[in-house]
Amino acid sequence: MALYGVVADIHGNREALAAVLDELDRRSVKDVVCLGDVVGYNADPDECVEMVRRRCAVTIAGNHDLIGLGRLDFRRCSSKAEYSLRRTRSTLSRASVSYLASLPANHILEDGVVLVHGGVRDVQQYMVTPALISENAAFLREDFPGASVCFFGHSHEQKVYEVQGDAVRELPGRQHCLAREWTYFVNPGSVDASRKRGAPLAECALFDSGRMSVEFLRVPYDSAASEAKAAVFGYRIDPLTDRFYTLKRRFIGGVSRARTALQRPHGSQPR
Ligand SMILES: [Fe+2]
Ligand SMILES: [Fe+2]
């Protein structure tokens, strides 16, 4: 049992990651774990990979890490994500590629505590509704028997969902005590705040596995610096390219649907 700093969705934002790690140091947190998406969106992927490699005891792979490596394609990406990930692919160092390629899909942190990036079985799933949490609670029971706490990232919002049998409820607030008899899905929020509205704050969580407590942290960082670098080094899509990517995605989606329809046995209807 230990006190953990839980970080996720860094997305190449060195300033935000440095601010979060400084805060965790200030609070004497030794063990930091990362739920993936180290790269994407911002201009310092190699620096963030190196910071994570040095500071995090455990890191798992996010979909942006896998797309950056070419292990996943762009089909489930937004135009903004695709554009910045094409840039990321072209710039990642060999050392970063090697590190990201070594990351596991999930991790059992300690007895009963599991780390995933998106859904329990789908790295690109956004677990954002009670129905999806309920479905994933069933996957958690099957894939990780005995697990009662699942940390996840990907949806970039600080959340705690409590699962009691078939009932799922979102718990309000920034500090939580987890009951040992129920199951919890916890998102520490996103270190990178470049796509959020309002004052940009880098997010993470503290998890005390002895006390079964979660505290959400929000830390200011130099967002002007990270934003300027992203613009200068070609990580921000312009409106025309955005439009082109959207049309391309629609065309590819249409072709794919037409192919599926042609392959369907004659007379059968889509469900
Ligand atoms: Fe992400
Ligand atoms: Fe993600």
Side-chain angles (χ1 to χ4, degrees):
M1 293 184 184
L3 176 66
Y4 298 98
V6 187
V7 303
D9 298 283
I10 296 158
H11 287 299
N13 191 327
R14 177 167 57 175
E15 289 73 20
L17 179 58
V20 157
L21 294 181
D22 284 350
E23 180 64 17
L24 294 176
D25 286 345
R26 199 179 68 74
R27 291 172 180 252
S28 305
V29 176
K30 288 194 183 127
D31 297 314
V32 182
V33 301
C34 174
L35 308 180
D37 277 2
V38 181
V39 303
Y41 292 125
N42 295 287
D44 288 317
D46 287 331
E47 291 78 359
C48 289
V49 166
E50 182 57 17
M51 289 162 80
V52 164
R53 191 186 66 74
R54 283 174 184 238
R55 186 64 174 90
C56 295
V58 174
T59 302
I60 61 171
N63 58 314
H64 279 238
D65 307 318
L66 297 171
I67 295 168
L69 291 171
R71 289 186 178 180
L72 280 179
D73 62 30
F74 298 110
R75 265 179 288 183
R76 290 169 74 182
C77 275
S78 68
S79 298
K80 282 187 180 72
E82 178 177 344
Y83 189 81
S84 64
L85 280 165
R86 286 187 185 279
R87 183 79 187 106
T88 302
R89 273 186 184 178
S90 73
T91 185
L92 270 181
S93 70
R94 274 194 193 175
S96 295
V97 166
S98 165
Y99 177 76
L100 294 175
S102 74
L103 300 180
N106 51 53
H107 180 80
I108 299 172
L109 185 60
E110 54 178 73
D111 211 17
V113 182
V114 173
L115 312 180
V116 302
H117 177 71
V120 171
R121 291 181 179 173
D122 178 0
V123 70
Q124 300 197 82
Q125 182 180 46
Y126 292 95
M127 287 202 286
V128 290
T129 65
L132 287 170
I133 294 293
S134 186
E135 178 184 68
N136 276 277
F139 294 155
L140 191 72
R141 281 193 293 277
E142 284 179 33
D143 297 356
F144 302 96
S148 62
V149 181
C150 178
F151 281 94
F152 69 103
H154 191 54
S155 46
H156 295 197
E157 298 284 343
Q158 291 178 322
K159 297 277 184 190
V160 176
Y161 293 97
E162 184 180 75
V163 183
Q164 297 188 25
D166 292 335
V168 177
R169 69 183 183 119
E170 186 183 329
L171 304 183
R174 307 259 296 265
Q175 299 203 343
H176 302 274
C177 277
L178 312 184
R180 293 188 187 273
E181 62 265 45
W182 307 127
T183 301
Y184 293 88
F185 284 79
V186 181
N187 189 321
S190 172
V191 170
D192 171 42
S194 64
R195 294 182 312 126
K196 295 204 174 190
R197 294 201 179 110
L201 297 170
E203 298 171 333
C204 68
L206 290 177
F207 172 53
D208 188 327
S209 64
R211 295 182 177 180
M212 289 290 277
S213 66
V214 171
E215 179 183 352
F216 291 136
L217 307 181
R218 290 176 184 169
V219 187
Y221 71 96
D222 187 352
S223 62
S226 62
E227 214 39 55
K229 276 188 288 181
V232 167
F233 291 108
Y235 288 80
R236 291 290 175 266
I237 193 168
D238 62 87
L240 197 62
T241 312
D242 195 349
R243 183 83 186 126
F244 169 70
Y245 275 34
T246 303
L247 290 172
K248 184 184 68 169
R249 185 169 294 105
R250 278 186 198 153
F251 175 74
I252 291 171
V255 169
S256 171
R257 280 191 295 278
R259 268 203 196 132
T260 307
L262 285 172
Q263 286 163 358
R264 199 174 290 130
H266 184 66
S268 70
Q269 293 295 314
R271 285 187 293 173

